[in-house]
Amino acid sequence: MRLQYPSNIKIILVPCTGKVDVLYILRAFEKGADGVYVVGCLEGDCHFDNGNFRARKRVEQAQKILDVIGVGGERAQMYNLSSSEAPRFAEIAIEMDEKIRALGPSPIKAAKQKAA
Amino acid sequence: MIVADKKPIEEIIEEIKNHEKILILGCNECVTVCEAGGKKEVGVLASALRMYFLNQGKQVKIDEITLERQCDHEYLEEIRDRMDQYDAVVSLACGVGVQFMAEKYHSTPIYPGVNTCFLGVTEERGLWTERCQACGHCILASTGGICPVARCAKRILNGPCGGSTKGKCEIDKEIDCAWQLIIDRLKALDRLDEYEELCPLKDWSTDRAGGPRKVVREDVQQ
């Protein structure tokens, strides 16, 4: 299909979104990510039954923490799509890229540069 | 196990905001099982605090260590040579661990990172319920293995009271009447005749009413 999506998105593969922990999301922000989104299978379609539901809960947990520490919970998002939906994948990537660009760089990244 | 719940991050930030070198100290026992103060929770809290202080423009060092236990000398000794690096410790152990840390390291402030709740069980992941109040004189033998001290709101020893309706307690429709559970259990064990026997006055001196308690076992003392 040769679909295009923003090149600033780094994909981290996990066997199932159920593997994604709150800590993974926080560490990404700590390392300077401007936004993190988890892309899981469609709800009800998890091969492991509830991996994507677990991921959603963990993203919500991360959002709460990010709100408290002043980074902003909206920088972490959860999306669901089927593995055959490549156009939707590209669409989500563009949507997330636009959302984060509107929010601006992560305050953590700026603070890290200032501290260095 | 001892069941604890996480403290809100805002509260922990308030506790430690004036310190610059902080150790987040987890415990590998009960608080790990109830997902309040184990290695993972230490990682999450430390990461959140590092980002918070960085965002505030403060240079704060935040390290993570998780000990096997915080209620035994030998494990607390493991960090003795590192304690001089920190001006505060947030202990994610239960209240016992926090206090033992404070007793051992007099000159470093130790702050609690969890709220210690009760002695209980994991009914399912994310649901922990109380089973024991450590009254010091166990009566489970005569109550079919269900504790009226921990599970009856009134702690009555000859129940149920008049507030028991359809097997539920009057304080909350979600809470089982402990005495209904006891009666059902004794019936299932074909020991209902024991229910007729009155429980004598309980010696509460072994409970908290007698002040802080201790267990002395000379046979195992060195």
Side-chain angles (χ1 to χ4, degrees):
Chain A
M1 281 193 224
R2 307 248 175 226
L3 295 166
Q4 297 286 317
Y5 66 90
S7 59
N8 54 356
I9 291 171
K10 181 178 178 183
I11 294 182
I12 297 167
L13 298 174
V14 286
C16 167
T17 47
K19 179 78 183 80
V20 177
D21 195 82
V22 180
L23 197 51
Y24 292 6
I25 301 170
L26 294 184
R27 287 266 160 83
F29 282 103
E30 217 183 325
K31 288 186 172 183
D34 294 316
V36 174
Y37 67 109
V38 178
V39 186
C41 297
L42 289 168
E43 292 188 352
D45 272 359
C46 177
H47 181 69
F48 303 103
D49 210 30
N50 56 8
N52 46 6
F53 287 109
R54 288 183 177 186
R56 181 169 292 280
K57 282 189 174 181
R58 289 167 191 165
V59 169
E60 285 166 5
Q61 265 179 281
Q63 285 174 333
K64 282 182 194 159
I65 294 171
L66 292 168
D67 272 333
V68 171
I69 60 175
V71 175
E74 66 276 31
R75 290 180 184 275
Q77 295 293 329
M78 172 87 197
Y79 290 95
N80 297 86
L81 83 169
S82 142
S83 57
S84 60
E85 289 181 286
R88 177 72 185 132
F89 180 89
E91 212 176 280
I92 289 170
I94 294 164
E95 185 184 311
M96 192 65 189
D97 181 63
E98 284 171 357
K99 189 179 280 183
I100 299 302
R101 279 184 192 282
L103 290 170
S106 156
I108 299 302
K109 192 157 75 178
K112 274 178 89 169
Q113 282 164 355
K114 204 174 161 188
Chain B
M1 67 172 161
I2 295 172
V3 179
D5 200 6
K6 290 179 181 178
K7 266 192 188 293
I9 294 178
E10 301 94 312
E11 195 180 326
I12 296 173
I13 289 171
E14 196 56 33
E15 286 172 357
I16 58 167
K17 63 182 180 192
N18 296 322
H19 297 286
E20 287 171 352
K21 288 172 282 180
I22 300 157
L23 173 65
I24 311 294
L25 191 64
C27 179
N28 242 340
E29 295 283 344
C30 317
V31 288
T32 296
V33 182
C34 62
E35 304 188 40
K39 194 173 180 182
K40 188 182 280 186
E41 291 73 32
V42 167
V44 170
L45 178 63
S47 177
L49 292 175
R50 275 193 292 267
M51 283 195 275
Y52 172 80
F53 287 116
L54 197 60
N55 203 12
Q56 297 290 309
K58 289 185 189 168
Q59 292 278 353
V60 180
K61 170 185 159 164
I62 294 178
D63 285 350
E64 311 165 22
I65 297 177
T66 300
L67 297 176
E68 194 56 37
R69 282 200 286 279
Q70 290 188 36
C71 50
D72 277 312
H73 287 295
E74 55 266 47
Y75 299 111
L76 293 183
E77 282 300 328
E78 287 174 7
I79 52 167
R80 183 166 293 283
D81 57 344
R82 297 185 62 175
M83 281 300 283
D84 58 351
Q85 298 173 26
Y86 306 106
D87 56 17
V89 175
V90 176
S91 167
L92 296 198
C94 65
V96 176
V98 176
Q99 291 184 66
F100 215 30
M101 266 296 288
E103 283 172 40
K104 213 161 189 48
Y105 299 106
H106 301 279
S107 56
T108 311
I110 317 290
Y111 298 102
V114 300
N115 291 321
T116 308
C117 302
F118 50 76
L119 303 180
V121 295
T122 311
E123 282 201 28
E124 58 187 70
R125 193 167 173 204
L127 175 64
W128 294 274
T129 52
E130 187 165 19
R131 287 292 185 279
C132 179
Q133 291 206 337
C135 71
H137 184 212
C138 192
I139 55 164
L140 286 170
S142 59
T143 57
I146 293 156
C147 181
V149 177
R151 303 187 64 182
C152 168
K154 291 177 177 169
R155 292 177 139 201
I156 52 174
L157 301 178
N158 294 288
C161 72
S164 175
T165 311
K166 292 178 183 169
K168 298 292 176 186
C169 177
E170 66 181 338
I171 64 160
D172 189 333
K173 288 192 179 85
E174 296 288 306
I175 296 174
D176 289 323
C177 167
W179 273 99
Q180 185 65 55
L181 295 176
I182 292 169
I183 291 165
D184 292 346
R185 176 91 174 130
L186 289 175
K187 201 184 282 177
L189 295 169
D190 202 19
R191 282 168 44 191
L192 207 51
D193 51 319
E194 289 178 31
Y195 173 62
E196 299 294 328
E197 291 169 24
L198 283 178
C199 179
L201 285 175
K202 186 170 159 54
D203 175 9
W204 289 103
S205 67
T206 56
D207 190 71
R208 267 288 298 154
R213 298 165 283 177
K214 62 179 168 185
V215 173
V216 181
R217 284 272 310 276
E218 286 179 3
D219 58 328
V220 293
Q221 279 179 339
Q222 287 179 339

